[in-house]
Every structure is written in structure tokens, then in C-alpha cells.
Amino acid sequence: MSLITLTTDFGTKDHFVGAVKGAIYSELSDARIVDISHQISPFNITQTAYILKNAYKNFPTGSIHIVGVDSELSVENKHIALFLDEHYFICPDNGIISLIASEIKPEKMVEITIHNAVVSSFNVLDIFVKVACHIARGGTLEVIGKRISDHKQLTEVYPFINDEKNQIIGSVIYIDNYGNVISNITKKLFQQIGKGRSFEVEARSYKFDKIFQKYNEGIDYETPIENRQDDGKKLAIFNSANYLEIAIYKSNLKTVGGASTLLGLKYRDSITVRFF
Amino acid sequence: MSLITLTTDFGTKDHFVGAVKGAIYSELSDARIVDISHQISPFNITQTAYILKNAYKNFPTGSIHIVGVDSELSVENKHIALFLDEHYFICPDNGIISLIASEIKPEKMVEITIHNAVVSSFNVLDIFVKVACHIARGGTLEVIGKRISDHKQLTEVYPFINDEKNQIIGSVIYIDNYGNVISNITKKLFQQIGKGRSFEVEARSYKFDKIFQKYNEGIDYETPIENRQDDGKKLAIFNSANYLEIAIYKSNLKTVGGASTLLGLKYRDSITVRFF
Amino acid sequence: MSLITLTTDFGTKDHFVGAVKGAIYSELSDARIVDISHQISPFNITQTAYILKNAYKNFPTGSIHIVGVDSELSVENKHIALFLDEHYFICPDNGIISLIASEIKPEKMVEITIHNAVVSSFNVLDIFVKVACHIARGGTLEVIGKRISDHKQLTEVYPFINDEKNQIIGSVIYIDNYGNVISNITKKLFQQIGKGRSFEVEARSYKFDKIFQKYNEGIDYETPIENRQDDGKKLAIFNSANYLEIAIYKSNLKTVGGASTLLGLKYRDSITVRFF
């Protein structure tokens, strides 16, 4: 039994996701299909890279991940399939895979070459499903593509480190369901550059000299609950994906607001760490 | 193992979808349940018809499609079950099936008659699930209903053709996740009426004399990428469902806008093709 | 084969739901995972309690329900697992379970004690998945926790009954996908207090002296359809979950509006029944 995941910007209203699942079940009646996300902001490759990186590694090895974001074939946007960290990925060559592949080298990578003469505007259905089912049946990547050694890089997902090595200049790459603002600064990079020094995180005019591991770490449970004013407290945290995040304790975008709305932090805004 | 799909206007927040799935698994522990959509605009039959038509045909033959949109039973809104194109459909008789049934005649159709005395406001759970499980277990339609030969028609989904046969006057029946605007004019009808003549598509004050097959077909890949201004380009396309669509290249309703917002096209607005 | 359901406030855009599913499949390759809801308003325990109560009972006995809303571990927010009405629940001890447990006593309840030294900000992934898989493999609750006899109560979900027993003062606990406004007054309580007397339901300045069983019960099907003005009609109904609900016939929050917007009824507003 094969496990196939879907990560797309299709939304969940249209027939697109249903059509793709139907096509997979038509080829592989015992497939297990899992939605990672269909709510990616249309054509947003950085969001896709972040979501995919943090979801895929929880799946069993051998899982096949279809990524359908900005996947229309063109001379500048090839389709690729790769085997990396014991997982298969089928995606456009637009940088989506680079967040994962920058840490773990692909073991095998091909440019998909099974496109026939028929022009398609729904490549996930017409091409990616076929490739996924081929792999699920035990087929090799060489049969559906030609070996390549490079893929496109996504540049904006990496922070800048100054020459003195006392500053990491990152940026917002993702805003989550709670409005929490996620930077491209990983805990690993932070430790590597910081080497245990004191630091200050700056996001707009807000400063943080502590980075938490849990959202409720700053709550003083000794104070009687009726005297606490912790909801809405802002904090810096290494989130569960090990990225530096600016969060609001118990935030809700639809009621009290979240870090993104309350602190005015948007996608691509800079977040800086200074060590001293 | 039976494959049962769900197409509803329940949304995904409430307990409705979970309740229906729980009830199916309680009757058929090895069922495979696939969501087609739960985000249909409440009571919108045209949207449902469009989504269902484009999703169902990708599923394996023998699949059972439950459609729960405007499904409360009344003297004017019967429940029907049908076998059509090797698929089963369970739905209210409110026109939902007519987009499919206008192209492919139902092989068998019954009015569901298993409603007992108990009044229900959740017919999908109380009636449709029972019918689906009955069919999944190999039961016949005759056991749960009485044969009928007609179903309600949905009139607004068909475009008007003028007497001179040089004009198709269609309308917007659907707006997708990218804001693309989909008309009720199929490629088949276009070719049948147009017979290869020149044409002009008109949507509000916008005109198109070309209909693409891919969204990026109009992009000039010879021009260096930094000199191109293609994002936001408007185009007419026969979409992957073979309907005439007005689209914006790489649109995003939440950021740059889509065809619906940028061109001001709404559900039911007219889209006209003139041949000459 | 185990059936595991998920009820969270994670939303469906982020990697959270995918990560949890991946982790379950990694431990239990043949698990069946069903989403009840991921759209719960962040940290809203009352919504969660309502959705969970109305969904769980439709699932097969032996199902395992993971509830991830406000689940970060603290000295004030323990994790519990319980067996109740032949179902398993894994959730924080924040009152989420009290709507179910007020009607049906838990057969067994433990405080989860498998948290190791590692601090986690993603407890559903790091703790609840492990507990669910343990139960799914036939493990007992005693192995992963210590017996407890009490759980936290959610007070706002119960209506107030006056001393004369001729008034139920309830409040809005949920607003559904159609904008229908659901109170915390159950049909059972209504009948128990009302004992068949005449009554008046009051919600803001709106009054109802009838409670329907179906949304279309008030429609006069004798009147020709073109003369009817029923869409947008307001009504009181015992909904399919047997809660008193204020509804609008064929409402749609995005177009004509729903009871919540048209009647101005919000979460926690009072809804009163007077008997006479």
C-alpha cells in the first residue's frame, strides 16, 4: 500500500483536489492519500517550501509527495521527481524543494519527460498523478525522466549573516493559523552563529532578549489566575519546526488578533538577531 | 471496498462532515470516503453541478457520490438515487444532476422511499448514508426507491444561441480558487457553433480574440524575465474541464486579485462569443 | 484497524495536521484517520465541546478521538485520556470533555504521565499521537497515565433555570456554517422544564412561539412558488443535535446573510425560553 501526500494551492472548494484523488484511486485502488495542505497562497513557493519541509519528515519512509503549486509546465518551469531522505517528491522545478534539499542531498533526481503532445493546464492531474502511481507500483525514476543534478534555488528563504558574524538578518517567510510570524532563522543557525552569546531579537520596534521553547513558558503560574494578564503577551520562540517565531500567547486572528496583526509584521518583513 | 464521495455545502468547521463519515464507517468499516468539496456556497445548485461534473468522472467506476446541497426533503424536493456513466449518485432532485445527465442518460433512476415517519433536518446523515451503504453492500436501487424517468432541470447552466447561429450568450457559473471566472460555454458547443470561424469573446468591456489551452501560453519566453510583465495578464482559456474561462495569469485573490475582482465579473454576469 | 479522529484549531493551511497524520501512519500503517474539524476558533473550548459531542457518537465504538485545542501542557492544563460511552478521548483537561461527560460518566480516566524531560510546543504531535497509537495497539490507559476521578468543568455551556421553573436563560454557544445560532438549551431540558406548557423563545428582540423540527416546516407549499417569500424567514428549531437553534431559512453568510448577521446574535448572547 502506497502513501501519497498532496500539497497544493488548489483550495478545497473547487473540483481540483477531488479530481486528483479520484484519478489516483482509479489507478491504485488501495492507495492512501493524505492532504498536507491545499490552502497555500496561490503561487507562493516559499510558503510551500516551509510547509512541505515540516510535514514530510513525519511520514513513513517511501511516501510519495505530490506538490502542485505553480506547476504549469514551461521552458522555464520543468517538472522534476526526486528521491531524498527516503521520500519521493514530484514537483515543479521552481525552488519548492530547495529548503529540504539544502539540508539533505537528493539521492536521485530526474526531469520528468513523459509529457506527450497534449497540452495541459492541469499538470498535477495529467502528469504528477501518473508519476506518483508509477513510483507507487515500484517503478524507477529513470523510466519517467532523465537524470539531472541541479534544481532551482529559492534565495529568499536564507537569512543574511554579516561579516563580523554578530548579526543574522532574517525575514518573515510564513504566518501561521494563529497569526504567529515565522522567520527563516533556524535554531541551528542561531546556535552556530551565536555560540552562546547574549542576544537581542528585533522585529519592527519590538525587542526580545529571550527565546522560549513553549508558548506558556513566560506565564507565572504562581500568580492567582484572576490577577494574570497573559493572554496577548508577545514572545519569541523556537517553534516546533525549530524556526524563530514571534508569537502572541493565545492569539486568535478573528477575535483578539495575532502577532501578524497586532505587531504589524508581514510576509518578507525583516527580523534581526544581534549577538553581543 | 466501496468508494463513497461527499459533495456538500456543510463547510469544514461544524460537526456535520465528521458525523456523516462516522456514520458511514459505523456501517461499512472498510469504506473509503473522499471529500470532493464541502465549501460550496450554501444552497448553490449551479456550483454543485459544476464541481460534481468535473470531479466524478476521475473516480473509479462503481463509486457512490453523495451530494448534500439543499437536500432537505419536501413535497417539492424529493430525494433521488441514480446510476449513470457507471457511477452512483444520491442527491436531492433539485437540478444538481442535470449538468451530467444532459450529456449522459441515467441508466437507472429512483425516487428514494425509505424515509420513515421520523422528521429529520439532517437528511444526508439520516437518509443518504443509509442509501450509500445499501448500494455499497451490493443492494439494488429498486429496494430503496421507486423507478422514475425524469429529474428536475437546471436552466441557468445552458447558454443561449441566437437564431443566426453566430452568437453564444453565456453566463458566469463559477469562480474558482484563483478568482478565474468560468462560463457555461463548453469547448464542444463553441466548436459546434463556431465551425472554425473567427470570433470575439466579450466579458463586460473586455474582449479576447484568442482562446488558450494553457495559462502560460501567451508568455513570451524569448524576452528576458526581468523585462516581462506577464503576471496579471488577462486571458481567455478553455480550462481543464473544457469550459470557457476568463483568467488572470498567476492571480491571487488575497494579494494581486483575480479575474473576478480585477475585471469585475460576478456569478451570472454574461459572457458572449460572436462568430464572424 | 483503528479509527482515530482529529478535532483541532490547527486550521488546514499549516503543516500541523499533515505532520500529525504522518506521525500516526508512521506508527500504525493501517490506521484510518478522520478529520472532525480543524477550523475551531483558536483556543475556543466551548466550540470544541459542542462539535466533539455531536460528531463522536456517530463513529464506531472503540474509536479514538484526539482533541487538540489549547493543549499546551502546564501545571494548570494537564493531559488526560478517558474511556467513555465505548469511545476513547485524548485531550487537555480544560473542560472540552465536560459536555459529553456531564451526560455519560467516564468508565475510566487517567492523567497522562508519559511526558519526558523534553519540552514541547506541539503536544498533539509529541504526546497525543503516542497515546492514540498505544490505545490503538490494544494498550491500556493505566500504562500511559495514573487514574483520576475528576476533570475540569466548562461552566458556560449550561443554561440557568429560575426558581419558579418557568424560565430557561441560555446563551449562544455556537454559530454554524449557515450562520445559524445555536443555544445551550437542549430539547431534553426544554421538555423537562416546560412539561408541555406554552412558551415563548426570545433572542434579542425576536420572539418565537413555535419550535420546528425541520427548516422547511414553516413553508406553505400550497402557495404557488412564485408568490412565496420564504427565503430569509427566521425560525426556531431543535437542530439535528437536539439543541435549540435560531435559524434563517436558506441562509448564506456570504450573500443574503444568516441568523447571526441578520438578527445580530453573537457568541454568548442570551437566548431565553419563558413557559406560561
Side-chain angles (χ1 to χ4, degrees):
Chain A
M1 191 188 55
S2 310
L3 198 156
I4 299 174
T5 79
L6 304 176
T7 306
T8 78
D9 62 0
F10 294 166
T12 51
K13 176 174 179 174
D14 302 343
H15 65 276
F16 304 131
V17 175
V20 167
K21 291 183 179 173
I24 295 172
Y25 287 130
S26 290
E27 278 209 45
L28 290 174
S29 66
D30 69 340
R32 185 180 293 284
I33 306 174
V34 184
D35 301 305
I36 289 180
S37 181
H38 299 295
Q39 307 292 359
I40 287 170
S41 188
F43 303 100
N44 193 315
I45 295 169
T46 303
Q47 276 188 7
T48 315
Y50 179 77
I51 289 171
L52 186 66
K53 182 187 172 191
N54 296 315
Y56 96 87
K57 58 189 167 190
N58 295 285
F59 284 88
T61 57
S63 294
I64 301 163
H65 306 281
I66 292 180
V67 190
V69 176
D70 190 21
S71 61
E72 198 172 43
L73 187 71
S74 79
V75 291
E76 290 173 0
N77 198 29
K78 310 285 191 184
H79 292 161
I80 58 176
L82 52 163
F83 185 60
L84 180 163
D85 196 19
E86 308 292 317
H87 290 252
Y88 292 93
F89 298 86
I90 303 164
C91 58
D93 183 17
N94 56 14
I96 276 173
I97 201 67
S98 62
L99 206 58
I100 300 173
S102 67
E103 297 184 0
I104 305 171
K105 214 182 120 58
E107 201 171 306
K108 196 183 283 186
M109 184 160 46
V110 301
E111 180 190 328
I112 296 169
T113 54
I114 59 164
H115 312 89
N116 53 25
V118 177
V119 172
S120 164
S121 64
F122 194 177
N123 290 277
V124 173
L125 182 67
D126 296 329
I127 306 298
F128 290 7
V129 165
K130 282 189 178 54
V131 174
C133 293
H134 167 79
I135 296 171
R137 284 186 297 259
T140 63
L141 296 183
E142 285 83 356
V143 172
I144 50 88
K146 61 167 194 243
R147 289 289 284 259
I148 53 171
S149 53
D150 274 328
H151 58 83
K152 268 202 205 131
Q153 292 298 331
L154 194 61
T155 49
E156 76 166 3
V157 295
Y158 306 108
F160 174 80
I161 292 139
N162 71 346
D163 288 345
E164 294 82 1
K165 301 244 184 290
N166 60 10
Q167 226 179 99
I168 305 174
I169 301 159
S171 63
V172 176
I173 54 169
Y174 194 78
I175 292 170
D176 78 8
N177 187 53
Y178 305 90
N180 293 332
V181 167
I182 296 149
S183 77
N184 55 359
I185 301 172
T186 61
K187 189 176 181 179
K188 195 178 157 192
L189 182 74
F190 178 92
Q191 291 175 333
Q192 209 176 299
I193 304 297
K195 295 182 203 299
R197 288 181 283 178
S198 294
F199 64 88
E200 189 178 69
V201 175
E202 193 175 332
R204 291 191 76 222
S205 58
Y206 302 95
K207 294 181 182 176
F208 306 86
D209 58 6
K210 226 174 179 169
I211 301 177
F212 290 147
Q213 297 295 326
K214 303 170 56 179
Y215 295 94
N216 63 19
E217 206 174 323
I219 307 309
D220 176 13
Y221 288 103
E222 304 290 306
T223 305
I225 197 159
E226 59 278 14
N227 297 339
R228 278 184 235 154
Q229 302 198 322
D230 291 321
D231 289 17
K233 201 171 191 168
K234 59 182 183 295
L235 58 115
I237 184 172
F238 284 120
N239 68 16
S240 59
N242 284 319
Y243 279 79
L244 177 61
E245 172 182 308
I246 310 299
I248 295 281
Y249 182 61
K250 294 213 176 176
S251 58
N252 182 334
L253 283 174
K254 291 205 180 138
T255 57
V256 293
S260 58
T261 53
L262 295 172
L263 310 184
L265 286 163
K266 298 184 309 295
Y267 177 48
R268 287 185 177 156
D269 278 359
S270 73
I271 290 185
T272 305
V273 185
R274 280 187 196 83
F275 297 98
F276 48 84
Chain B
M1 193 188 52
S2 311
L3 199 156
I4 299 173
T5 79
L6 304 177
T7 305
T8 78
D9 62 1
F10 294 166
T12 50
K13 177 174 179 174
D14 302 343
H15 64 276
F16 303 130
V17 175
V20 167
K21 290 183 179 173
I24 295 172
Y25 288 129
S26 291
E27 278 208 47
L28 290 174
S29 67
D30 69 341
R32 185 179 294 283
I33 307 174
V34 184
D35 301 304
I36 289 180
S37 180
H38 299 294
Q39 308 292 358
I40 287 170
S41 187
F43 304 98
N44 193 314
I45 294 169
T46 303
Q47 277 188 6
T48 314
Y50 179 78
I51 290 172
L52 186 66
K53 182 188 174 191
N54 295 315
Y56 95 88
K57 59 189 166 191
N58 295 285
F59 284 88
T61 57
S63 294
I64 301 163
H65 306 281
I66 290 179
V67 190
V69 175
D70 190 21
S71 61
E72 198 172 41
L73 186 71
S74 78
V75 292
E76 290 173 0
N77 199 29
K78 310 285 190 184
H79 292 160
I80 58 176
L82 52 164
F83 185 60
L84 180 163
D85 195 19
E86 307 293 317
H87 289 253
Y88 292 94
F89 298 86
I90 304 164
C91 58
D93 183 16
N94 56 14
I96 277 173
I97 201 67
S98 61
L99 206 58
I100 300 173
S102 66
E103 297 184 1
I104 305 171
K105 213 181 120 59
E107 201 171 307
K108 195 183 284 186
M109 185 161 45
V110 300
E111 180 190 328
I112 296 169
T113 53
I114 59 164
H115 310 90
N116 54 26
V118 177
V119 172
S120 164
S121 63
F122 194 176
N123 290 278
V124 173
L125 181 67
D126 296 328
I127 306 297
F128 290 6
V129 165
K130 281 189 179 53
V131 173
C133 292
H134 167 79
I135 296 171
R137 283 187 298 257
T140 63
L141 295 183
E142 285 83 354
V143 172
I144 51 88
K146 61 169 195 240
R147 291 288 285 258
I148 52 173
S149 53
D150 273 328
H151 58 83
K152 268 201 205 130
Q153 292 298 331
L154 195 60
T155 49
E156 76 166 4
V157 296
Y158 306 108
F160 173 81
I161 292 138
N162 70 347
D163 288 344
E164 294 84 1
K165 300 244 183 289
N166 61 7
Q167 226 179 97
I168 305 175
I169 300 159
S171 63
V172 175
I173 53 167
Y174 195 77
I175 292 170
D176 78 7
N177 186 53
Y178 306 90
N180 294 331
V181 167
I182 295 148
S183 76
N184 54 359
I185 302 172
T186 61
K187 189 175 180 177
K188 194 177 158 193
L189 182 74
F190 178 92
Q191 291 175 333
Q192 209 176 298
I193 305 297
K195 297 182 201 300
R197 289 181 283 178
S198 294
F199 63 87
E200 189 178 68
V201 175
E202 193 175 332
R204 291 191 75 219
S205 58
Y206 302 96
K207 294 180 182 179
F208 305 86
D209 58 6
K210 226 175 178 169
I211 301 178
F212 289 148
Q213 297 295 325
K214 303 171 56 179
Y215 295 94
N216 63 19
E217 206 174 324
I219 307 309
D220 176 14
Y221 288 104
E222 303 291 306
T223 306
I225 195 160
E226 60 277 13
N227 297 339
R228 277 184 235 153
Q229 301 196 322
D230 292 320
D231 289 15
K233 201 172 190 167
K234 58 182 183 294
L235 59 115
I237 184 172
F238 284 121
N239 69 15
S240 59
N242 284 319
Y243 280 79
L244 177 61
E245 171 182 309
I246 309 299
I248 294 281
Y249 182 60
K250 293 212 177 177
S251 58
N252 182 334
L253 283 176
K254 291 208 179 136
T255 58
V256 292
S260 57
T261 54
L262 295 172
L263 310 184
L265 286 163
K266 297 183 309 296
Y267 177 49
R268 287 185 176 155
D269 278 359
S270 72
I271 290 185
T272 305
V273 185
R274 280 188 196 81
F275 297 98
F276 47 86
Chain C
M1 193 188 54
S2 310
L3 199 157
I4 299 174
T5 79
L6 303 177
T7 306
T8 77
D9 62 0
F10 294 165
T12 50
K13 176 173 180 176
D14 302 343
H15 65 276
F16 303 130
V17 175
V20 167
K21 291 182 179 174
I24 294 172
Y25 288 129
S26 290
E27 279 207 47
L28 290 174
S29 66
D30 69 341
R32 184 180 293 284
I33 307 174
V34 184
D35 301 305
I36 289 181
S37 180
H38 299 295
Q39 307 292 0
I40 287 171
S41 187
F43 304 100
N44 193 315
I45 295 169
T46 303
Q47 277 187 7
T48 315
Y50 178 77
I51 290 171
L52 186 66
K53 182 187 174 191
N54 296 315
Y56 96 88
K57 57 189 168 193
N58 295 285
F59 284 88
T61 57
S63 294
I64 301 163
H65 306 281
I66 291 179
V67 190
V69 176
D70 190 22
S71 62
E72 198 172 39
L73 186 71
S74 78
V75 291
E76 290 172 1
N77 198 29
K78 310 286 189 184
H79 293 160
I80 58 177
L82 52 164
F83 185 60
L84 180 163
D85 195 19
E86 307 292 317
H87 289 253
Y88 292 94
F89 298 87
I90 303 164
C91 59
D93 183 17
N94 56 14
I96 278 173
I97 201 68
S98 62
L99 205 57
I100 300 173
S102 66
E103 297 184 1
I104 304 171
K105 213 181 121 56
E107 200 171 308
K108 197 184 281 186
M109 183 161 47
V110 301
E111 181 190 327
I112 296 168
T113 54
I114 59 164
H115 312 89
N116 54 25
V118 178
V119 172
S120 164
S121 63
F122 195 176
N123 291 278
V124 173
L125 182 67
D126 295 329
I127 306 298
F128 290 6
V129 165
K130 282 190 178 53
V131 173
C133 292
H134 168 79
I135 296 171
R137 283 186 298 257
T140 63
L141 295 183
E142 285 83 354
V143 171
I144 51 88
K146 61 168 194 242
R147 292 289 284 259
I148 53 171
S149 53
D150 274 329
H151 58 83
K152 268 201 205 132
Q153 292 298 331
L154 196 59
T155 50
E156 76 167 4
V157 295
Y158 307 107
F160 173 80
I161 291 139
N162 71 347
D163 289 344
E164 292 83 2
K165 301 245 184 289
N166 61 6
Q167 225 179 99
I168 305 175
I169 301 158
S171 64
V172 176
I173 54 168
Y174 195 78
I175 292 170
D176 78 8
N177 186 54
Y178 305 90
N180 293 332
V181 167
I182 295 149
S183 77
N184 54 359
I185 302 172
T186 61
K187 189 175 181 178
K188 194 178 156 193
L189 182 73
F190 178 92
Q191 291 175 333
Q192 210 176 299
I193 304 297
K195 296 183 202 298
R197 288 181 282 177
S198 295
F199 63 87
E200 189 177 67
V201 175
E202 193 174 333
R204 290 190 77 222
S205 58
Y206 301 97
K207 294 181 182 177
F208 305 86
D209 57 6
K210 226 175 179 170
I211 302 178
F212 289 147
Q213 297 295 326
K214 303 170 57 179
Y215 295 94
N216 62 19
E217 206 174 322
I219 307 308
D220 176 14
Y221 288 104
E222 303 291 306
T223 306
I225 196 159
E226 59 277 16
N227 297 340
R228 276 184 235 154
Q229 301 197 324
D230 291 320
D231 289 16
K233 200 171 189 166
K234 59 181 181 296
L235 59 114
I237 184 173
F238 283 120
N239 69 15
S240 59
N242 284 319
Y243 280 78
L244 177 60
E245 172 182 308
I246 309 299
I248 295 282
Y249 183 60
K250 294 213 177 176
S251 58
N252 182 334
L253 283 176
K254 292 205 179 138
T255 58
V256 292
S260 58
T261 54
L262 294 173
L263 311 185
L265 286 164
K266 299 184 308 297
Y267 177 49
R268 287 186 177 155
D269 278 359
S270 72
I271 291 185
T272 304
V273 185
R274 280 187 197 81
F275 297 98
F276 47 85

